[in-house]
Amino acid sequence: MKRVIMLICSLSILLGLLPATIADAATVNPKTILEKKFPRERVTVSKSIDLNGDNKKEHLLITDSGNFYLINSKGTIVLIDTNYYNDEDPTFHILNISAKEKHVAITLDYFPSNTELFVYKYQDGTLKKKLSVIGDVGIKLSKTGEIKQLWKNYYPEGGWEIAVANYKWDHKKGKYVGSGEVPR
């Protein structure tokens, strides 16, 4: 009887009658999981990392259509955001906020010098946007989560100078707090 049940379960999984399990998410390539669920999507950038300290990797994927997806450690596909287009492929960065907390940062570079930055916190099985800034001159990230935004502060009579805004995660407020010359 036990063999018959195992045979039926195996056939059901092979024929796709049962949903994918956690083991499937861990053993199958995340690109394959996404492209199987969304056949028109093609993954251009991906990164796998354990964001919540459960020793299971979450998968970050950006597609050629500009969609940003998360496949959490349970195998659930979540659309996080759209419109991730730029001159080059977006870049994932992992910010180590503390020993137990990591944030996901994405930079989009635009010719000749603009950089757009989005920072997300892993929360309740998904990613929540916590910061979005543009650096006219550039963005600098430290591994500890400090963000430096270099932007053009224009003079009323013409011309500009580089202004610097610094952002740091505030655990109590649950957001990034800016200091220095923060753009209005």
Side-chain angles (χ1 to χ4, degrees), residues 12 15 19:
S12 296
L15 296 175

Side-chain angles (χ1 to χ4, degrees), residues 89-133:
D89 284 337
T91 305
F92 287 114
H93 308 271
I94 304 303
L95 307 177
N96 296 310
I97 302 303
S98 69
K100 296 182 180 182
E101 185 173 4
K102 295 177 183 165
H103 291 185
V104 174
I106 300 172
T107 53
L108 302 165
D109 295 315
Y110 303 100
F111 182 76
S113 64
N114 289 356
T115 301
E116 190 170 12
L117 171 77
F118 301 95
V119 183
Y120 294 88
K121 179 181 180 184
Y122 188 78
Q123 211 172 331
D124 302 322
T126 189
L127 292 170
K128 308 261 174 138
K129 190 183 293 182
K130 296 299 178 177
L131 182 66
S132 174
V133 295

